Amino acid sequence: MAQVVVAFRLYSRGAKDLLRSDGVREDLGRRMQAVAEWAGPYFEQALADSHTRYPVQIIADTYTGRSRAGATAVAIHPGSLRVEQEHGYFRGAMSAAAD
């Protein structure tokens, strides 16, 4: 069965305000924190033998943009991009954010 994608634009000021609200931002922050907590140990394990003096840092943060609130989780380490490309820990952690 084919999926149908419907695009729409929000013209309601109330809907736009909701997408930028503190409640939405707090919910996204909680979800990104769950992602960071789930993925962190996997990154630490994968980078334990990286022979660098830098510890792995997983940072979860939120922001409010012009049209909506958003959130990100980032692994900070010289080898973190390689680990994500090879193992996809952040992609796997997205199910932790669903609850």
Side-chain angles (χ1 to χ4, degrees), residues 3-69:
Q3 290 184 340
V4 176
V5 178
V6 177
F8 65 95
R9 293 182 187 248
L10 291 176
Y11 290 107
S12 165
R13 176 112 175 120
K16 288 180 182 179
D17 288 346
L18 176 65
L19 291 174
R20 299 182 74 229
S21 70
D22 290 339
V24 169
R25 186 173 175 165
E26 289 171 10
D27 181 61
L28 291 173
R30 179 184 59 78
R31 293 170 187 268
M32 279 304 106
Q33 190 61 42
V35 166
E37 289 173 2
W38 189 93
Y42 291 101
F43 274 96
E44 289 171 6
Q45 182 180 5
L47 294 167
D49 296 329
S50 64
H51 305 294
T52 66
R53 60 181 180 189
Y54 303 106
V56 179
Q57 290 181 295
I58 308 291
I59 298 174
D61 195 16
T62 61
Y63 60 90
T64 302
R66 198 176 64 156
S67 62
R68 65 181 177 172

Short mmCIF file of all heavy atoms in Angstrom, two decimals, residues 3-69:
data_model
loop_
_atom_site.label_atom_id
_atom_site.label_comp_id
_atom_site.label_asym_id
_atom_site.label_seq_id
_atom_site.Cartn_x
_atom_site.Cartn_y
_atom_site.Cartn_z
N GLN A 3 2.02 5.08 0.59
CA GLN A 3 1.77 6.11 1.59
C GLN A 3 1.50 7.43 0.88
O GLN A 3 2.11 7.74 -0.13
CB GLN A 3 2.96 6.29 2.51
CG GLN A 3 3.19 5.14 3.44
CD GLN A 3 4.33 5.43 4.40
OE1 GLN A 3 5.16 6.27 4.15
NE2 GLN A 3 4.35 4.69 5.49
N VAL A 4 0.57 8.17 1.44
CA VAL A 4 0.25 9.47 0.89
C VAL A 4 0.78 10.53 1.85
O VAL A 4 0.51 10.49 3.05
CB VAL A 4 -1.28 9.65 0.72
CG1 VAL A 4 -1.60 11.04 0.23
CG2 VAL A 4 -1.82 8.59 -0.22
N VAL A 5 1.57 11.44 1.34
CA VAL A 5 2.12 12.52 2.16
C VAL A 5 1.34 13.78 1.85
O VAL A 5 1.20 14.18 0.70
CB VAL A 5 3.62 12.73 1.86
CG1 VAL A 5 4.17 13.89 2.68
CG2 VAL A 5 4.39 11.46 2.14
N VAL A 6 0.82 14.36 2.91
CA VAL A 6 0.05 15.60 2.74
C VAL A 6 0.82 16.72 3.41
O VAL A 6 1.18 16.61 4.58
CB VAL A 6 -1.35 15.46 3.38
CG1 VAL A 6 -2.11 16.77 3.26
CG2 VAL A 6 -2.11 14.33 2.74
N ALA A 7 1.09 17.77 2.70
CA ALA A 7 1.78 18.92 3.26
C ALA A 7 0.76 20.00 3.58
O ALA A 7 -0.23 20.18 2.87
CB ALA A 7 2.81 19.46 2.27
N PHE A 8 1.02 20.69 4.66
CA PHE A 8 0.13 21.79 5.02
C PHE A 8 0.92 22.86 5.73
O PHE A 8 2.02 22.62 6.22
CB PHE A 8 -1.04 21.32 5.90
CG PHE A 8 -0.60 20.82 7.25
CD1 PHE A 8 -0.60 21.67 8.35
CD2 PHE A 8 -0.17 19.52 7.42
CE1 PHE A 8 -0.20 21.20 9.59
CE2 PHE A 8 0.24 19.06 8.65
CZ PHE A 8 0.23 19.90 9.73
N ARG A 9 0.38 24.03 5.78
CA ARG A 9 1.02 25.15 6.47
C ARG A 9 0.12 25.60 7.60
O ARG A 9 -1.10 25.67 7.45
CB ARG A 9 1.25 26.31 5.52
CG ARG A 9 2.26 26.01 4.45
CD ARG A 9 2.45 27.23 3.58
NE ARG A 9 3.28 26.91 2.46
CZ ARG A 9 4.50 27.39 2.30
NH1 ARG A 9 5.01 28.23 3.17
NH2 ARG A 9 5.21 27.05 1.27
N LEU A 10 0.75 25.91 8.71
CA LEU A 10 -0.02 26.41 9.85
C LEU A 10 -0.12 27.93 9.75
O LEU A 10 0.87 28.63 9.76
CB LEU A 10 0.68 26.05 11.17
CG LEU A 10 0.70 24.59 11.53
CD1 LEU A 10 1.50 24.38 12.80
CD2 LEU A 10 -0.71 24.09 11.74
N TYR A 11 -1.34 28.40 9.63
CA TYR A 11 -1.55 29.83 9.60
C TYR A 11 -2.12 30.34 10.93
O TYR A 11 -2.18 31.53 11.16
CB TYR A 11 -2.50 30.22 8.46
CG TYR A 11 -1.87 30.04 7.10
CD1 TYR A 11 -2.25 29.00 6.27
CD2 TYR A 11 -0.86 30.88 6.66
CE1 TYR A 11 -1.67 28.82 5.03
CE2 TYR A 11 -0.27 30.70 5.43
CZ TYR A 11 -0.68 29.68 4.61
OH TYR A 11 -0.09 29.50 3.40
N SER A 12 -2.49 29.43 11.79
CA SER A 12 -3.06 29.80 13.08
C SER A 12 -1.97 30.29 14.02
O SER A 12 -0.98 29.60 14.24
CB SER A 12 -3.77 28.59 13.70
OG SER A 12 -4.01 28.82 15.06
N ARG A 13 -2.15 31.46 14.56
CA ARG A 13 -1.18 32.00 15.52
C ARG A 13 -1.11 31.09 16.75
O ARG A 13 -0.03 30.87 17.30
CB ARG A 13 -1.58 33.42 15.91
CG ARG A 13 -0.72 34.02 16.96
CD ARG A 13 0.09 35.14 16.38
NE ARG A 13 0.83 35.81 17.41
CZ ARG A 13 2.15 35.89 17.41
NH1 ARG A 13 2.82 35.37 16.41
NH2 ARG A 13 2.79 36.50 18.36
N GLY A 14 -2.24 30.56 17.17
CA GLY A 14 -2.28 29.67 18.32
C GLY A 14 -1.47 28.41 18.11
O GLY A 14 -0.77 27.94 19.00
N ALA A 15 -1.57 27.84 16.93
CA ALA A 15 -0.81 26.62 16.62
C ALA A 15 0.69 26.93 16.61
O ALA A 15 1.50 26.15 17.13
CB ALA A 15 -1.24 26.05 15.28
N LYS A 16 1.06 28.05 16.04
CA LYS A 16 2.47 28.44 16.02
C LYS A 16 2.98 28.69 17.44
O LYS A 16 4.09 28.29 17.80
CB LYS A 16 2.67 29.68 15.17
CG LYS A 16 2.51 29.39 13.69
CD LYS A 16 2.70 30.64 12.86
CE LYS A 16 2.49 30.35 11.39
NZ LYS A 16 2.64 31.53 10.56
N ASP A 17 2.17 29.32 18.26
CA ASP A 17 2.56 29.56 19.65
C ASP A 17 2.72 28.24 20.40
O ASP A 17 3.62 28.11 21.24
CB ASP A 17 1.53 30.45 20.36
CG ASP A 17 1.57 31.89 19.88
OD1 ASP A 17 2.55 32.28 19.21
OD2 ASP A 17 0.61 32.63 20.17
N LEU A 18 1.85 27.28 20.13
CA LEU A 18 1.94 25.98 20.77
C LEU A 18 3.26 25.29 20.41
O LEU A 18 3.94 24.74 21.29
CB LEU A 18 0.77 25.08 20.36
CG LEU A 18 0.82 23.65 20.89
CD1 LEU A 18 0.70 23.63 22.41
CD2 LEU A 18 -0.27 22.82 20.26
N LEU A 19 3.65 25.32 19.15
CA LEU A 19 4.89 24.68 18.71
C LEU A 19 6.13 25.33 19.32
O LEU A 19 7.19 24.72 19.39
CB LEU A 19 4.99 24.70 17.19
CG LEU A 19 4.00 23.81 16.45
CD1 LEU A 19 4.11 24.02 14.95
CD2 LEU A 19 4.21 22.35 16.81
N ARG A 20 6.00 26.58 19.77
CA ARG A 20 7.12 27.29 20.38
C ARG A 20 6.99 27.38 21.90
O ARG A 20 7.79 28.03 22.57
CB ARG A 20 7.19 28.71 19.81
CG ARG A 20 7.44 28.72 18.31
CD ARG A 20 7.56 30.12 17.75
NE ARG A 20 8.87 30.64 18.16
CZ ARG A 20 9.05 31.84 18.73
NH1 ARG A 20 8.03 32.63 18.96
NH2 ARG A 20 10.25 32.23 19.07
N SER A 21 6.02 26.71 22.48
CA SER A 21 5.73 26.86 23.90
C SER A 21 6.78 26.18 24.79
O SER A 21 7.51 25.30 24.37
CB SER A 21 4.35 26.27 24.22
OG SER A 21 4.39 24.86 24.11
N ASP A 22 6.79 26.62 26.05
CA ASP A 22 7.70 26.03 27.03
C ASP A 22 7.38 24.55 27.25
O ASP A 22 8.30 23.75 27.45
CB ASP A 22 7.60 26.78 28.37
CG ASP A 22 8.19 28.18 28.30
OD1 ASP A 22 9.01 28.44 27.40
OD2 ASP A 22 7.83 29.00 29.17
N GLY A 23 6.12 24.19 27.21
CA GLY A 23 5.73 22.80 27.40
C GLY A 23 6.30 21.89 26.32
O GLY A 23 6.79 20.79 26.62
N VAL A 24 6.23 22.33 25.08
CA VAL A 24 6.78 21.54 23.97
C VAL A 24 8.29 21.46 24.12
O VAL A 24 8.90 20.40 23.96
CB VAL A 24 6.38 22.14 22.61
CG1 VAL A 24 7.16 21.51 21.47
CG2 VAL A 24 4.89 21.99 22.38
N ARG A 25 8.90 22.58 24.47
CA ARG A 25 10.36 22.60 24.64
C ARG A 25 10.79 21.67 25.78
O ARG A 25 11.76 20.93 25.67
CB ARG A 25 10.84 24.02 24.89
CG ARG A 25 12.33 24.14 24.93
CD ARG A 25 12.76 25.57 25.00
NE ARG A 25 14.20 25.62 25.17
CZ ARG A 25 14.92 26.68 24.99
NH1 ARG A 25 14.35 27.81 24.64
NH2 ARG A 25 16.21 26.65 25.17
N GLU A 26 10.06 21.67 26.89
CA GLU A 26 10.37 20.78 28.01
C GLU A 26 10.21 19.31 27.62
O GLU A 26 11.04 18.46 27.99
CB GLU A 26 9.48 21.10 29.20
CG GLU A 26 9.82 22.41 29.87
CD GLU A 26 8.80 22.82 30.92
OE1 GLU A 26 7.91 22.00 31.25
OE2 GLU A 26 8.88 23.96 31.39
N ASP A 27 9.17 18.99 26.86
CA ASP A 27 8.96 17.62 26.41
C ASP A 27 10.09 17.17 25.49
O ASP A 27 10.62 16.06 25.64
CB ASP A 27 7.61 17.49 25.69
CG ASP A 27 7.35 16.06 25.25
OD1 ASP A 27 7.30 15.17 26.12
OD2 ASP A 27 7.23 15.84 24.04
N LEU A 28 10.49 18.02 24.57
CA LEU A 28 11.59 17.68 23.68
C LEU A 28 12.90 17.53 24.46
O LEU A 28 13.70 16.64 24.16
CB LEU A 28 11.75 18.75 22.60
CG LEU A 28 10.63 18.82 21.57
CD1 LEU A 28 10.82 20.04 20.66
CD2 LEU A 28 10.57 17.55 20.75
N GLY A 29 13.09 18.37 25.46
CA GLY A 29 14.29 18.26 26.29
C GLY A 29 14.33 16.95 27.05
O GLY A 29 15.39 16.30 27.14
N ARG A 30 13.19 16.52 27.58
CA ARG A 30 13.11 15.24 28.28
C ARG A 30 13.44 14.09 27.32
O ARG A 30 14.17 13.16 27.67
CB ARG A 30 11.71 15.06 28.87
CG ARG A 30 11.51 13.75 29.60
CD ARG A 30 10.07 13.59 30.07
NE ARG A 30 9.10 13.62 28.98
CZ ARG A 30 8.84 12.60 28.17
NH1 ARG A 30 9.48 11.48 28.29
NH2 ARG A 30 7.93 12.72 27.21
N ARG A 31 12.93 14.17 26.13
CA ARG A 31 13.18 13.12 25.14
C ARG A 31 14.65 13.07 24.71
O ARG A 31 15.24 12.00 24.57
CB ARG A 31 12.28 13.30 23.92
CG ARG A 31 10.80 13.07 24.24
CD ARG A 31 9.92 13.49 23.06
NE ARG A 31 8.53 13.42 23.41
CZ ARG A 31 7.75 12.35 23.20
NH1 ARG A 31 8.25 11.27 22.64
NH2 ARG A 31 6.49 12.37 23.54
N MET A 32 15.26 14.23 24.51
CA MET A 32 16.66 14.25 24.11
C MET A 32 17.56 13.81 25.25
O MET A 32 18.59 13.18 25.04
CB MET A 32 17.09 15.64 23.63
CG MET A 32 16.70 15.94 22.20
SD MET A 32 17.34 14.73 21.02
CE MET A 32 15.84 13.83 20.62
N GLN A 33 17.17 14.10 26.49
CA GLN A 33 17.94 13.61 27.64
C GLN A 33 17.89 12.08 27.68
O GLN A 33 18.89 11.42 27.97
CB GLN A 33 17.40 14.20 28.94
CG GLN A 33 18.28 13.92 30.13
CD GLN A 33 19.67 14.50 29.99
OE1 GLN A 33 19.84 15.63 29.54
NE2 GLN A 33 20.67 13.73 30.35
N ALA A 34 16.73 11.51 27.36
CA ALA A 34 16.61 10.05 27.29
C ALA A 34 17.52 9.48 26.20
O ALA A 34 18.16 8.43 26.39
CB ALA A 34 15.16 9.64 27.05
N VAL A 35 17.59 10.16 25.07
CA VAL A 35 18.48 9.73 23.98
C VAL A 35 19.93 9.76 24.46
O VAL A 35 20.69 8.81 24.26
CB VAL A 35 18.29 10.61 22.73
CG1 VAL A 35 19.41 10.41 21.73
CG2 VAL A 35 16.94 10.33 22.09
N ALA A 36 20.32 10.86 25.10
CA ALA A 36 21.70 11.01 25.58
C ALA A 36 22.04 9.95 26.62
O ALA A 36 23.13 9.36 26.58
CB ALA A 36 21.90 12.41 26.15
N GLU A 37 21.12 9.67 27.52
CA GLU A 37 21.38 8.67 28.56
C GLU A 37 21.46 7.27 27.98
O GLU A 37 22.22 6.44 28.46
CB GLU A 37 20.30 8.75 29.64
CG GLU A 37 20.41 10.00 30.48
CD GLU A 37 19.25 10.20 31.44
OE1 GLU A 37 18.33 9.33 31.50
OE2 GLU A 37 19.22 11.24 32.11
N TRP A 38 20.69 6.99 26.95
CA TRP A 38 20.72 5.67 26.32
C TRP A 38 21.99 5.50 25.50
O TRP A 38 22.64 4.45 25.56
CB TRP A 38 19.49 5.50 25.43
CG TRP A 38 19.31 4.11 24.90
CD1 TRP A 38 18.58 3.11 25.46
CD2 TRP A 38 19.87 3.57 23.70
NE1 TRP A 38 18.65 1.98 24.68
CE2 TRP A 38 19.44 2.24 23.59
CE3 TRP A 38 20.69 4.08 22.70
CZ2 TRP A 38 19.81 1.42 22.53
CZ3 TRP A 38 21.07 3.26 21.65
CH2 TRP A 38 20.62 1.95 21.57
N ALA A 39 22.36 6.50 24.72
CA ALA A 39 23.49 6.38 23.80
C ALA A 39 24.84 6.56 24.49
O ALA A 39 25.84 6.00 24.04
CB ALA A 39 23.36 7.41 22.68
N GLY A 40 24.88 7.29 25.58
CA GLY A 40 26.14 7.61 26.25
C GLY A 40 27.02 6.41 26.56
O GLY A 40 28.20 6.38 26.18
N PRO A 41 26.50 5.40 27.26
CA PRO A 41 27.34 4.23 27.57
C PRO A 41 27.86 3.50 26.32
O PRO A 41 28.97 2.97 26.34
CB PRO A 41 26.41 3.32 28.37
CG PRO A 41 25.37 4.23 28.94
CD PRO A 41 25.20 5.32 27.92
N TYR A 42 27.10 3.48 25.26
CA TYR A 42 27.55 2.83 24.03
C TYR A 42 28.72 3.60 23.40
O TYR A 42 29.68 3.01 22.92
CB TYR A 42 26.40 2.70 23.04
CG TYR A 42 25.36 1.71 23.48
CD1 TYR A 42 24.17 2.12 24.06
CD2 TYR A 42 25.58 0.34 23.33
CE1 TYR A 42 23.22 1.21 24.48
CE2 TYR A 42 24.63 -0.58 23.75
CZ TYR A 42 23.46 -0.13 24.33
OH TYR A 42 22.52 -1.05 24.74
N PHE A 43 28.61 4.94 23.38
CA PHE A 43 29.72 5.75 22.88
C PHE A 43 30.95 5.57 23.75
O PHE A 43 32.07 5.44 23.25
CB PHE A 43 29.34 7.24 22.82
CG PHE A 43 28.66 7.63 21.55
CD1 PHE A 43 27.28 7.67 21.48
CD2 PHE A 43 29.38 7.95 20.42
CE1 PHE A 43 26.64 8.04 20.31
CE2 PHE A 43 28.75 8.32 19.24
CZ PHE A 43 27.38 8.36 19.19
N GLU A 44 30.77 5.56 25.07
CA GLU A 44 31.91 5.39 25.98
C GLU A 44 32.61 4.05 25.75
O GLU A 44 33.83 3.99 25.71
CB GLU A 44 31.43 5.50 27.43
CG GLU A 44 31.03 6.91 27.82
CD GLU A 44 30.36 6.98 29.18
OE1 GLU A 44 30.29 5.94 29.88
OE2 GLU A 44 29.92 8.07 29.54
N GLN A 45 31.82 3.01 25.59
CA GLN A 45 32.40 1.69 25.34
C GLN A 45 33.13 1.64 24.00
O GLN A 45 34.24 1.12 23.90
CB GLN A 45 31.32 0.62 25.38
CG GLN A 45 31.85 -0.78 25.18
CD GLN A 45 30.73 -1.81 25.22
OE1 GLN A 45 29.56 -1.48 25.30
NE2 GLN A 45 31.10 -3.07 25.15
N ALA A 46 32.52 2.20 22.97
CA ALA A 46 33.12 2.15 21.63
C ALA A 46 34.39 2.99 21.56
O ALA A 46 35.29 2.68 20.78
CB ALA A 46 32.11 2.64 20.60
N LEU A 47 34.48 4.04 22.37
CA LEU A 47 35.63 4.94 22.31
C LEU A 47 36.62 4.74 23.45
O LEU A 47 37.57 5.50 23.60
CB LEU A 47 35.13 6.40 22.30
CG LEU A 47 34.34 6.77 21.04
CD1 LEU A 47 33.62 8.10 21.23
CD2 LEU A 47 35.27 6.83 19.84
N ALA A 48 36.42 3.69 24.25
CA ALA A 48 37.30 3.44 25.40
C ALA A 48 38.75 3.23 24.98
O ALA A 48 39.67 3.64 25.68
CB ALA A 48 36.80 2.24 26.18
N ASP A 49 38.97 2.62 23.84
CA ASP A 49 40.33 2.35 23.36
C ASP A 49 40.77 3.32 22.27
O ASP A 49 41.57 2.97 21.41
CB ASP A 49 40.41 0.92 22.83
CG ASP A 49 40.16 -0.10 23.92
OD1 ASP A 49 40.50 0.20 25.08
OD2 ASP A 49 39.63 -1.17 23.61
N SER A 50 40.26 4.52 22.31
CA SER A 50 40.55 5.49 21.23
C SER A 50 41.90 6.17 21.40
O SER A 50 42.34 6.89 20.52
CB SER A 50 39.45 6.55 21.16
OG SER A 50 39.43 7.31 22.35
N HIS A 51 42.57 5.96 22.54
CA HIS A 51 43.90 6.51 22.79
C HIS A 51 43.93 8.03 22.71
O HIS A 51 44.88 8.61 22.21
CB HIS A 51 44.92 5.89 21.84
CG HIS A 51 44.94 4.41 21.89
ND1 HIS A 51 45.35 3.70 23.01
CD2 HIS A 51 44.55 3.47 20.99
CE1 HIS A 51 45.23 2.41 22.78
NE2 HIS A 51 44.75 2.23 21.57
N THR A 52 42.87 8.65 23.15
CA THR A 52 42.86 10.11 23.29
C THR A 52 42.65 10.43 24.76
O THR A 52 42.14 9.62 25.53
CB THR A 52 41.73 10.77 22.48
OG1 THR A 52 40.48 10.39 23.03
CG2 THR A 52 41.80 10.40 21.02
N ARG A 53 43.03 11.62 25.15
CA ARG A 53 42.87 12.01 26.55
C ARG A 53 41.51 12.64 26.81
O ARG A 53 41.20 13.04 27.91
CB ARG A 53 43.97 12.98 26.95
CG ARG A 53 43.96 14.24 26.11
CD ARG A 53 45.05 15.17 26.50
NE ARG A 53 44.94 16.34 25.63
CZ ARG A 53 45.82 17.28 25.56
NH1 ARG A 53 46.89 17.22 26.31
NH2 ARG A 53 45.65 18.29 24.75
N TYR A 54 40.69 12.72 25.77
CA TYR A 54 39.40 13.38 25.90
C TYR A 54 38.31 12.38 26.26
O TYR A 54 38.14 11.38 25.57
CB TYR A 54 39.01 14.07 24.59
CG TYR A 54 40.04 15.07 24.13
CD1 TYR A 54 40.87 14.78 23.06
CD2 TYR A 54 40.18 16.29 24.78
CE1 TYR A 54 41.83 15.68 22.64
CE2 TYR A 54 41.13 17.20 24.36
CZ TYR A 54 41.97 16.89 23.29
OH TYR A 54 42.90 17.79 22.90
N PRO A 55 37.54 12.66 27.30
CA PRO A 55 36.40 11.79 27.60
C PRO A 55 35.25 12.08 26.63
O PRO A 55 35.18 13.15 26.03
CB PRO A 55 36.02 12.19 29.03
CG PRO A 55 36.46 13.62 29.14
CD PRO A 55 37.68 13.73 28.28
N VAL A 56 34.38 11.14 26.49
CA VAL A 56 33.20 11.34 25.65
C VAL A 56 32.22 12.22 26.42
O VAL A 56 31.94 11.99 27.59
CB VAL A 56 32.51 10.00 25.32
CG1 VAL A 56 31.28 10.23 24.46
CG2 VAL A 56 33.48 9.07 24.64
N GLN A 57 31.69 13.24 25.76
CA GLN A 57 30.65 14.07 26.34
C GLN A 57 29.41 13.93 25.47
O GLN A 57 29.48 14.10 24.25
CB GLN A 57 31.06 15.54 26.37
CG GLN A 57 32.15 15.86 27.36
CD GLN A 57 32.45 17.34 27.33
OE1 GLN A 57 32.92 17.85 26.32
NE2 GLN A 57 32.17 18.00 28.42
N ILE A 58 28.28 13.63 26.08
CA ILE A 58 27.01 13.59 25.37
C ILE A 58 26.18 14.76 25.91
O ILE A 58 25.91 14.83 27.10
CB ILE A 58 26.25 12.26 25.61
CG1 ILE A 58 27.14 11.06 25.31
CG2 ILE A 58 24.97 12.23 24.79
CD1 ILE A 58 27.48 10.87 23.85
N ILE A 59 25.81 15.65 25.04
CA ILE A 59 25.09 16.85 25.44
C ILE A 59 23.71 16.86 24.80
O ILE A 59 23.58 16.68 23.58
CB ILE A 59 25.86 18.12 25.03
CG1 ILE A 59 27.21 18.14 25.74
CG2 ILE A 59 25.06 19.37 25.33
CD1 ILE A 59 28.12 19.24 25.32
N ALA A 60 22.69 17.06 25.61
CA ALA A 60 21.32 17.22 25.13
C ALA A 60 20.93 18.67 25.37
O ALA A 60 21.17 19.22 26.45
CB ALA A 60 20.38 16.28 25.86
N ASP A 61 20.33 19.31 24.38
CA ASP A 61 19.97 20.72 24.50
C ASP A 61 18.69 20.99 23.73
O ASP A 61 18.33 20.25 22.81
CB ASP A 61 21.10 21.58 23.96
CG ASP A 61 20.98 23.04 24.38
OD1 ASP A 61 20.21 23.33 25.32
OD2 ASP A 61 21.64 23.88 23.76
N THR A 62 18.01 22.05 24.12
CA THR A 62 16.80 22.48 23.41
C THR A 62 16.99 23.91 22.92
O THR A 62 17.86 24.63 23.39
CB THR A 62 15.56 22.43 24.33
OG1 THR A 62 15.77 23.32 25.43
CG2 THR A 62 15.31 21.02 24.84
N TYR A 63 16.15 24.29 21.99
CA TYR A 63 16.18 25.66 21.47
C TYR A 63 14.78 26.03 21.00
O TYR A 63 13.92 25.17 20.79
CB TYR A 63 17.16 25.78 20.31
CG TYR A 63 16.83 24.88 19.14
CD1 TYR A 63 16.01 25.31 18.11
CD2 TYR A 63 17.33 23.58 19.08
CE1 TYR A 63 15.69 24.49 17.05
CE2 TYR A 63 17.02 22.75 18.03
CZ TYR A 63 16.20 23.21 17.01
OH TYR A 63 15.89 22.40 15.97
N THR A 64 14.54 27.29 20.88
CA THR A 64 13.29 27.77 20.29
C THR A 64 13.65 28.58 19.05
O THR A 64 14.34 29.60 19.15
CB THR A 64 12.50 28.65 21.28
OG1 THR A 64 12.25 27.88 22.45
CG2 THR A 64 11.19 29.09 20.67
N GLY A 65 13.22 28.08 17.92
CA GLY A 65 13.48 28.76 16.66
C GLY A 65 12.35 29.71 16.31
O GLY A 65 11.46 29.98 17.11
N ARG A 66 12.38 30.21 15.11
CA ARG A 66 11.36 31.16 14.66
C ARG A 66 9.98 30.53 14.57
O ARG A 66 8.98 31.15 14.89
CB ARG A 66 11.77 31.70 13.30
CG ARG A 66 11.06 32.97 12.91
CD ARG A 66 11.60 33.47 11.62
NE ARG A 66 11.28 32.47 10.58
CZ ARG A 66 11.18 32.74 9.31
NH1 ARG A 66 11.39 33.95 8.87
NH2 ARG A 66 10.88 31.79 8.46
N SER A 67 9.93 29.25 14.17
CA SER A 67 8.63 28.63 13.96
C SER A 67 8.30 27.50 14.93
O SER A 67 7.15 27.09 15.01
CB SER A 67 8.53 28.11 12.54
OG SER A 67 9.50 27.11 12.31
N ARG A 68 9.29 26.98 15.67
CA ARG A 68 9.02 25.87 16.58
C ARG A 68 10.19 25.65 17.52
O ARG A 68 11.30 26.12 17.28
CB ARG A 68 8.75 24.60 15.80
CG ARG A 68 9.95 24.14 15.03
CD ARG A 68 9.66 22.90 14.24
NE ARG A 68 10.85 22.55 13.46
CZ ARG A 68 10.96 21.45 12.79
NH1 ARG A 68 9.98 20.59 12.78
NH2 ARG A 68 12.05 21.19 12.13
N ALA A 69 9.92 24.86 18.56
CA ALA A 69 10.96 24.44 19.48
C ALA A 69 11.63 23.20 18.89
O ALA A 69 11.03 22.47 18.11
CB ALA A 69 10.37 24.13 20.85
#
